[in-house]
Amino acid sequence: MALLADLAALRARVAASPGRLEKRRLVAEYLRALGPDDLTRAVTYLSGRAFPVSDPRVLNVRGLPVAESGASSQAPLVLEDVARTFDDVAAAAGPGSRRQRDSLLTELSARASDAERDLLQRIVYGEMRMGLSEGLVLEAIAEAAGVAPSLVRRAALVTGDLTAVAPLALGPDPAALAAAQPRVFVPLLPMLAEIAVGPADALAAHEGATAMEYKYDGARIQLHAAGDRVAIWSRRMSDVTRSLPDIVALARDNLVGAAPLILDGEVVALDPAGRPLPFQELMRRFRRVRGVEEAMGSLPLSLHLFDCLMADGRSCLDEPYTRRWETLARVTGGRWLAERAMVASVEEGDAFMARALAAGHEGVMAKDPRSPYEPGGRGKKWFKLKTALTVDCVIVAADRGSGRRVGWLSNYHLAVREGDGWAEVGKTFKGLTDREFTEMTERLRALATADDGYTVRVSPEVVVEVDYNEIQKSPTYPSGFALRFARIARIREDKAPGQATTLDELRRLYDLQFATKGRAEP
């Protein structure tokens, strides 16, 4: 039985170690000595969670109650004690449940030493603060098992849960890791696309033939079904099942014949004439958990499916796109499919894109017919072709407004991802309505980390899609780039900060600009 005290001591050693390799070595050494059950618990807690990412339960508490330590007079706490308490706290419901949850955690706290109590508090708050990212935990699992990190990474992406991977990597079956399969009702990261200038880029990358689909101005969903149960997750892997009862009913009535299944698709909001509404209108419906029935009537949704990750309980991830599409057509009876065409020339691609734009959609996707589905992957196997030049940035700071914008935080500092950090690429105060300025000001103030009286630095959590005219070289920003005429096109509630544009992608977009214009000599 693994002692909680040992995990607390490990946390302290890792936090005190400045080097990444030493942190990884310490965690690997600890994990190697654990049995399967404790291994799962330890990886969960080291990731700053009370439950695995695939477990929808929450503690629903404000923190760990203060209690006098009674650790010296009781048996030492083990990880199983913590897991059992968390199970009971999550199960508490009904009248008096808050008191019951507090009582359970108070009892656990009273048995803990100061170091153990500190660890428990960090788990409850979901913030370990020891310089141990999930990626480093993944590498530690690989080191403990003596396997390549790429094997562990793929298994984590395929299963959707790092805690499920640790027992596979460190278990008795050496083939288990490579044989990892997706699990219904455990969401997977969606496969992503690079930006391309036009059909010619996609055709060149896909060796002369590409599958084009309408790129809908909607919200990405992942639909899971088995038996009578249907569940839907957003692009950010948030459970949105309660917000989409009409899509749930459609799936339950029409798709469960091929269950267990996992499908990838998009939902789009429609106006009374059946035309797609702007993305922001969809978000009003997508986040709703009350008044859903009323919203269904005033803001109906259309479903467009474009990939099949599992059918009949069998993984389709490693099959080529063309075969996955055939399976998708079979399980849907050919209904609710994204508009699609196989394209072999630039002229065909241009014509298909023109039809998509004329229908009110954003553009098109171009997919390599031979490509497998890679959860979380982004590359040249999938491209998105849009007329507008946009990138997804994170707001990292905001200046106080002046003139008619007095009282608002309204000049937003925009950044793209650079490794584990952020690289600023410009500012903008354009694109939001007065109401959105007000709401954004309140939101950013709640995320504030520093304030010099003019600029408020904020935690990088708000993702915005930014239109721009051009990417320029810039001596002002350490990133080396600046977005010219930046304007917020929309707030991307459906995207997590980790899904924002990277600095490497911005560099590629900068270079792509010179496909149609000259490049000045340095």
Side-chain angles (χ1 to χ4, degrees), residues 336-513:
W336 313 291
L337 300 182
E339 189 72 22
R340 168 184 175 271
M342 297 301 295
V343 169
S345 71
V346 171
E347 292 75 19
E348 290 175 346
D350 286 340
F352 186 80
M353 187 163 182
R355 292 202 302 274
L357 295 172
H361 302 298
E362 278 192 312
V364 300
M365 300 294 297
K367 301 179 179 179
D368 188 335
R370 304 158 300 176
S371 61
Y373 191 99
E374 299 176 355
R378 185 196 298 273
K380 298 183 183 300
K381 294 172 183 175
W382 284 15
F383 288 105
K384 53 184 175 182
L385 285 62
K386 298 164 63 175
T387 53
L389 300 172
T390 66
V391 289
D392 291 320
C393 296
V394 168
I395 296 175
V396 295
D399 301 330
R400 285 180 165 80
S402 59
R404 68 176 300 275
R405 291 181 285 115
V406 166
W408 290 330
L409 295 175
S410 60
N411 196 23
Y412 306 115
H413 297 224
L414 307 170
V416 294
R417 285 191 295 135
E418 184 182 17
D420 293 331
W422 301 96
E424 292 194 32
V425 293
K427 300 181 185 179
T428 188
F429 57 83
K430 298 178 180 179
L432 300 188
T433 64
D434 287 1
R435 177 180 175 182
E436 288 172 327
F437 271 131
T438 301
E439 293 173 348
M440 184 63 77
T441 296
E442 295 174 356
R443 186 171 181 182
L444 294 180
R445 281 177 176 156
L447 297 173
T449 59
D451 186 353
D452 64 7
Y454 179 72
T455 299
V456 178
R457 307 298 301 185
V458 299
S459 177
E461 296 186 24
V462 180
V463 182
V464 289
E465 183 176 353
V466 180
D467 289 339
Y468 64 93
N469 177 266
E470 186 179 51
I471 303 170
Q472 299 177 323
K473 289 281 190 179
S474 170
T476 304
Y477 296 107
S479 67
F481 296 98
L483 302 177
R484 183 169 182 257
F485 299 136
R487 178 182 180 277
I488 294 177
R490 54 179 170 170
I491 303 165
R492 294 306 302 251
E493 303 287 3
D494 61 325
K495 285 194 175 183
Q499 295 170 324
T501 299
T502 67
L503 184 56
D504 283 342
E505 289 171 330
L506 197 73
R507 288 193 185 100
R508 287 197 293 272
L509 290 173
Y510 173 80
D511 289 332
L512 282 172
Q513 294 174 150

Side-chain angles (χ1 to χ4, degrees), residues 98-111:
R98 175 172 292 182
R99 192 181 307 110
Q100 183 183 358
R101 290 192 291 267
D102 285 346
S103 175
L104 288 164
L105 288 178
T106 299
E107 181 181 342
L108 182 66
S109 178
R111 291 184 57 191

Side-chain angles (χ1 to χ4, degrees), residues 141-436:
I141 293 171
E143 182 171 325
V147 299
S150 59
L151 271 177
V152 179
R153 188 173 294 109
R154 182 189 183 280
L157 291 170
V158 166
T159 62
D161 187 356
L162 189 59
T163 57
V165 173
L168 297 178
L170 291 160
D173 183 0
L177 199 61
Q181 296 294 311
R183 296 175 293 166
V184 70
F185 303 121
V186 180
L188 286 72
L189 287 172
M191 186 168 174
L192 305 173
E194 281 195 7
I195 300 171
V197 172
D201 290 341
L203 287 166
H206 301 164
E207 298 184 8
T210 189
M212 281 194 170
E213 303 166 1
Y214 281 7
K215 187 180 189 308
Y216 299 94
D217 191 12
R220 186 97 173 252
I221 64 164
Q222 193 176 111
L223 188 152
H224 294 229
D228 291 331
R229 183 184 172 192
V230 173
I232 302 173
W233 280 270
S234 71
R235 179 190 179 113
R236 295 186 65 166
M237 299 176 76
S238 298
D239 190 334
V240 293
T241 309
R242 291 176 58 195
S243 300
L244 305 174
D246 41 354
I247 305 299
V248 170
L250 180 153
R252 186 176 290 124
D253 293 343
N254 298 280
L255 300 176
V256 294
L261 60 78
I262 304 174
L263 305 180
D264 197 356
E266 194 105 353
V267 290
V268 177
L270 302 175
D271 70 5
R275 294 171 301 202
L277 286 169
F279 178 81
Q280 294 303 125
E281 295 298 315
L282 171 63
M283 284 296 100
R284 286 176 39 224
R285 167 73 192 278
F286 209 65
R287 296 193 300 265
R288 185 184 291 266
V289 293
R290 295 185 178 87
V292 175
E293 297 296 327
E294 178 184 350
M296 285 170 53
S298 62
L299 202 65
L301 301 180
S302 62
L303 174 65
H304 304 278
L305 297 169
F306 49 73
D307 220 313
C308 182
L309 285 59
M310 175 189 287
D312 304 309
R314 181 181 56 82
S315 172
C316 303
L317 296 180
D318 294 324
E319 295 179 356
Y321 166 90
T322 49
R323 191 172 302 161
R324 295 198 311 277
W325 184 270
E326 291 170 359
T327 303
L328 179 65
R330 174 177 65 80
V331 302
T332 61
R335 296 169 291 176
W336 313 291
L337 300 182
E339 189 72 22
R340 168 184 175 271
M342 297 301 295
V343 169
S345 71
V346 171
E347 292 75 19
E348 290 175 346
D350 286 340
F352 186 80
M353 187 163 182
R355 292 202 302 274
L357 295 172
H361 302 298
E362 278 192 312
V364 300
M365 300 294 297
K367 301 179 179 179
D368 188 335
R370 304 158 300 176
S371 61
Y373 191 99
E374 299 176 355
R378 185 196 298 273
K380 298 183 183 300
K381 294 172 183 175
W382 284 15
F383 288 105
K384 53 184 175 182
L385 285 62
K386 298 164 63 175
T387 53
L389 300 172
T390 66
V391 289
D392 291 320
C393 296
V394 168
I395 296 175
V396 295
D399 301 330
R400 285 180 165 80
S402 59
R404 68 176 300 275
R405 291 181 285 115
V406 166
W408 290 330
L409 295 175
S410 60
N411 196 23
Y412 306 115
H413 297 224
L414 307 170
V416 294
R417 285 191 295 135
E418 184 182 17
D420 293 331
W422 301 96
E424 292 194 32
V425 293
K427 300 181 185 179
T428 188
F429 57 83
K430 298 178 180 179
L432 300 188
T433 64
D434 287 1
R435 177 180 175 182
E436 288 172 327

